[in-house]
């Protein structure tokens, strides 16, 4: 093959390769152009891409106090600064890479820094609050063992962290309220702007032991003479009957009397005396968490007749009427209500209210039953109540004593004029004397308590066993064993002091 033929052959191969390449490229260009022409309508604007250059999503949170500042060092040169609200905070560029952010007023804003090409260097979410360092230092000085965090949000603040007891939590809240009120004239009544989220670690429990002792002595004396008869002179006859009631007590103590007479006169002597003593003792014990309220009631309920609801059995005139009583129940007995708050140093602020009530026949109400001759008697309630707030140490006792009531009623009933006679006067009158003396004493003892294991506790019925039939019938025993088994009593000659089931 000559040199000319070789050159022609290479040129032919080059032309073939170029044609093949054109055949591959041209269809792709045509298809792509057709697709673009199909997607774009005639006269439509070109597609624009929107990109967020700066936002809060990439910002760092910075908290400032009013008239406080923070220094920012940036990794690139600053070209532009954007402050959303210059009334809240301001940014001062000191050098190409250092800026100062200064808090001006309470509120929130953001600050962005950009470089020469418009890219964001940094963004800051600024929260300007009150200067809370004074409140933080005051709480730290007053409650040194606390871990209280003070955070500001807008016009208000949040107290968080832990304290030892409820008193310290309240103390921190009071300090924040007072200092926040004094910080500005526009924050009067800012207690509603403070959120107390302080957690009390290991809240103490307080057991209150209360002893209610009451002794009542009643004395009733009744003396009266009832005369009846007739006096006459000639054809003139005067009949008289003088019956003297006992109005102080309401009735005579008994129906017994001594009756005698002479000629047309008869006399009935009523001389009665009654003395009684009532002893009331209750020892309720309650346990409550510091700051919570506990309630105890030992007593019962008695029915009170509110009235009758009457209706006819049928619509026929003259049909009998049936009446149904309406009854409600009232409480009586011994009630205890107390709220303890554990203070520092083991002292307890105690709000206690105790009440002793019982049924009494005095001032009772008698209601007749409609349609019958029967009556219903509603008793009255006699109540003694004590309500106080004191501060005592754990284990210390408070005695609410001296509640003495002395009531005396003395009524004399008789015939006017004749009852005033020097010697014969007692024949025409009755003497009714009532004396009631009551003394109530309440002992209150709070204890700071901890939970104990069940095995360390004992019950009053531990070791109790019923007697056998022969021991009960022949010997009169009420129990076979009483007391915890396996324990021997100490010798009587070497123990001096109180003994019994409960030892204080």
């Amino acid at each position: 093959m000559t040199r000319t033929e070789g050159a022609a052959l290479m040129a032919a191969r080059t032309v073939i390769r170029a044609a093949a390449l054109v055949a591959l490229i041209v269809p792709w260009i045509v298809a792509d152009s057709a697709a673009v022409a199909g997607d774009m309508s005639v006269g439509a604007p070109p597609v624009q891409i929107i990109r967020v250059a700066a936002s809060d999503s990439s910002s760092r949170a910075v908290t400032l106090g009013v008239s406080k500042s923070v220094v920012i060092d940036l990794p690139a040169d600053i070209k532009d600064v954007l402050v959303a609200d210059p009334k809240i905070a301001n940014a001062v560029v000191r050098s190409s890479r250092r800026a100062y952010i200064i808090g001006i007023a309470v509120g929130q804003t953001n600050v962005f820094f950009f470089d020469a090409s418009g890219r964001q260097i940094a963004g800051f979410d600024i929260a300007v609050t009150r200067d809370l360092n004074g409140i933080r230092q005051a709480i730290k000085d007053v409650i040194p063992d606390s871990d209280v965090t003070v955070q500001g949000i807008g016009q208000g603040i949040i107290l968080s962290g832990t304290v030892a007891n409820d008193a310290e939590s309240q103390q921190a809240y009071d300090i924040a309220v007072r200092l926040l009120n004094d910080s500005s004239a526009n924050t009067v009544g800012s207690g509603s702007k403070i959120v107390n989220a302080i957690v009390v670690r290991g809240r103490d429990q307080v057991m209150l032991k209360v002893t209610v002792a009451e002794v009542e002595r009643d004395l009733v004396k009744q003396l009266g003479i009832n005369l009846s008869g007739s006096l006459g002179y000639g054809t003139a006859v005067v009949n008289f009957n003088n019956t003297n009631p006992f109005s102080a007590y309401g009735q005579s103590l008994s129906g017994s009397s001594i009756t005698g007479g002479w000629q047309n006169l008869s006399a009935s002597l009523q001389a009665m005396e009654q003395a009684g003593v009532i002893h009331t003792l209750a020892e309720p014990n309650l346990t409550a968490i510091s700051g919570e309220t506990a309630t105890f009631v030992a007593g019962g309920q008695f029915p009170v007749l509110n009235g009758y609801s009457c209706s006819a059995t049928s619509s026929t005139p003259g049909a009998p009427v049936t009446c149904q009583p309406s009854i409600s129940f009232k409480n009586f007995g011994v009630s205890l209500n107390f709220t303890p708050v554990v203070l520092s140093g083991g002292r307890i602020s105690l709000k206690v209210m105790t009440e002793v009530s019982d049924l009494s026949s005095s001032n009772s109400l008698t209601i007749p039953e409609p349609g019958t001759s029967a009556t219903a008697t509603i008793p009255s309630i006699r109540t003694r109540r004590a309500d106080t707030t004191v501060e005592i140490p754990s284990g210390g006792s408070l005695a609410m004593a001296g509640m003495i009531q002395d009531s005396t009623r003395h009524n004399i009933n008789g015939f006017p004029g004749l009852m005033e006679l020097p010697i014969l006067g007692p024949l025409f009158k009755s003497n009714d004397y009532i004396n009631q003396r009551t003394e109530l004493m309440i002992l209150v003892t709070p204890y700071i308590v901890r939970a104990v294991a069940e095995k360390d506790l004992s019950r009053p019925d531990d070791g109790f066993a019923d007697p056998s039939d022969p021991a009960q019938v022949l010997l009169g025993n009420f129990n076979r064993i009483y007391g915890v088994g396996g324990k021997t009593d100490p010798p009587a000659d070497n123990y001096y002091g109180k003994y019994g089931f409960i030892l204080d």
Side-chain angles (χ1 to χ4, degrees):
M1 183 180 292
T2 62
R3 181 180 298 177
T4 304
E5 293 175 351
L9 182 60
M10 292 180 63
R13 291 178 178 176
T14 303
V15 172
I16 294 173
R17 291 176 181 174
L21 180 62
V22 171
L24 292 175
I25 293 176
V26 170
W28 176 80
I29 294 176
V30 173
D32 185 66
S33 300
V36 172
D39 293 341
M40 296 180 58
S41 60
V42 179
V47 178
Q48 297 180 357
I49 300 176
I50 300 175
R51 183 173 61 90
V52 178
S55 66
D56 290 340
S57 60
S58 59
S59 300
R60 297 178 58 183
V62 176
T63 302
L64 288 177
V66 178
S67 301
K68 298 290 184 177
S69 62
V70 63
V71 180
I72 305 296
D73 288 333
L74 300 175
D77 293 341
I78 304 172
K79 180 61 178 178
D80 191 13
V81 179
L82 172 62
V83 179
D85 191 352
K87 296 180 181 180
I88 303 297
N90 193 12
V92 178
V93 179
R94 178 62 179 174
S95 63
S96 61
R97 296 196 177 188
R98 171 167 289 186
Y100 304 153
I101 300 178
I102 304 172
I104 299 175
V106 176
Q108 292 184 348
T109 185
N110 48 18
V111 179
F112 297 100
F113 295 94
F114 303 93
D115 58 8
S117 60
R119 291 190 300 267
Q120 177 184 349
I121 302 175
F124 299 95
D125 189 6
I126 307 299
V128 181
T129 62
R130 301 184 179 278
D131 186 8
L132 305 177
N133 291 331
I135 298 178
R136 295 188 183 99
Q137 188 61 38
I139 294 177
K140 190 65 177 178
D141 294 341
V142 176
I143 316 174
D145 297 333
S146 64
D147 182 17
V148 179
T149 302
V150 182
Q151 296 177 344
I153 298 180
Q155 296 289 342
I157 62 175
I158 297 178
L159 302 178
S160 59
T162 59
V163 293
N165 48 57
D166 291 324
E168 293 183 354
S169 175
Q170 184 63 34
Q171 200 170 20
Y173 178 79
D174 294 339
I175 292 173
V177 170
R178 183 61 182 270
L179 296 183
L180 190 62
N181 284 339
D182 293 343
S183 62
S184 174
N186 296 328
T187 58
V188 176
S190 60
S192 60
K193 300 180 181 179
I194 300 176
V195 178
N196 189 358
I198 298 176
V199 178
V200 179
R201 46 177 193 267
R203 300 181 68 182
D204 294 317
Q205 298 187 74
V206 178
M207 184 190 75
L208 190 67
K209 179 181 179 181
V210 179
T211 301
V212 180
E214 180 185 18
V215 176
E216 178 183 353
R217 177 180 178 269
D218 294 338
L219 178 63
V220 180
K221 294 182 179 181
Q222 294 179 343
L223 176 62
I225 298 177
N226 300 326
L227 292 178
S228 62
S230 61
L231 297 176
Y233 181 76
T235 59
V237 178
V238 177
N239 298 319
F240 62 92
N241 185 4
N242 183 31
T243 301
N244 298 316
F246 299 102
S247 57
Y249 189 75
Q251 59 184 356
S252 60
L253 293 177
S254 64
S256 61
S257 61
I258 299 176
T259 304
W262 177 73
Q263 293 186 356
N264 294 330
L265 297 177
S266 62
S268 176
L269 173 63
Q270 291 181 318
M272 291 154 288
E273 181 175 349
Q274 174 181 294
V277 175
I278 300 176
H279 176 216
T280 302
L281 178 63
E283 291 185 330
N285 294 339
L286 279 180
T287 302
I289 298 176
S290 176
E292 301 295 334
T293 301
T295 303
F296 170 84
V297 178
Q301 293 182 330
F302 69 97
V304 175
L305 181 63
N306 297 327
Y308 292 91
S309 176
C310 300
S311 61
T313 56
S314 65
S315 59
T316 304
V321 177
T322 59
C323 297
Q324 297 294 331
S326 176
I327 298 176
S328 62
F329 291 87
K330 301 294 183 179
N331 297 326
F332 72 97
V334 178
S335 65
L336 172 64
N337 213 343
F338 81 101
T339 304
V341 177
V342 178
L343 308 176
S344 59
R347 301 187 64 82
I348 302 173
S349 176
L350 186 64
K351 178 179 177 58
V352 58
M353 192 278 289
T354 183
E355 178 180 304
V356 180
S357 59
D358 56 359
L359 301 179
S360 175
S361 59
S362 301
N363 301 322
S364 60
L365 180 63
T366 301
I367 300 177
E369 295 184 7
T372 63
S373 60
T375 59
T377 301
I378 301 176
S380 62
I381 289 291
R382 182 174 50 185
T383 303
R384 282 81 67 202
R385 182 184 296 111
D387 189 355
T388 184
T389 301
V390 294
E391 180 180 332
I392 54 179
S394 176
S397 296
L398 166 68
M400 292 180 285
M403 289 180 283
I404 301 175
Q405 179 182 2
D406 192 344
S407 175
T408 300
R409 286 179 291 175
H410 192 184
N411 288 359
I412 296 178
N413 300 279
F415 193 87
L418 297 179
M419 61 181 294
E420 305 295 338
L421 296 177
I423 298 176
L424 301 179
L427 299 176
F428 301 94
K429 64 182 179 182
S430 64
N431 195 335
D432 195 4
Y433 174 81
I434 300 176
N435 178 252
Q436 294 178 332
R437 293 182 180 180
T438 302
E439 181 175 3
L440 176 65
M441 184 181 71
I442 301 173
L443 298 177
V444 179
T445 305
Y447 298 93
I448 299 178
V449 296
R450 299 290 184 270
V452 298
E454 185 181 2
K455 62 182 180 63
D456 296 331
L457 301 177
S458 58
R459 306 193 313 267
D461 60 342
D462 285 343
F464 178 83
D466 292 327
S468 60
D469 292 341
Q472 180 181 5
V473 175
L474 300 178
L475 302 179
N477 292 340
F478 291 99
N479 57 280
R480 183 174 60 200
I481 301 175
Y482 185 75
V484 180
K487 294 185 179 180
T488 58
D489 296 331
D493 55 351
N494 63 356
Y495 178 78
Y496 301 92
K498 297 180 179 179
Y499 64 94
F501 177 75
I502 300 176
L503 299 180
D504 293 334

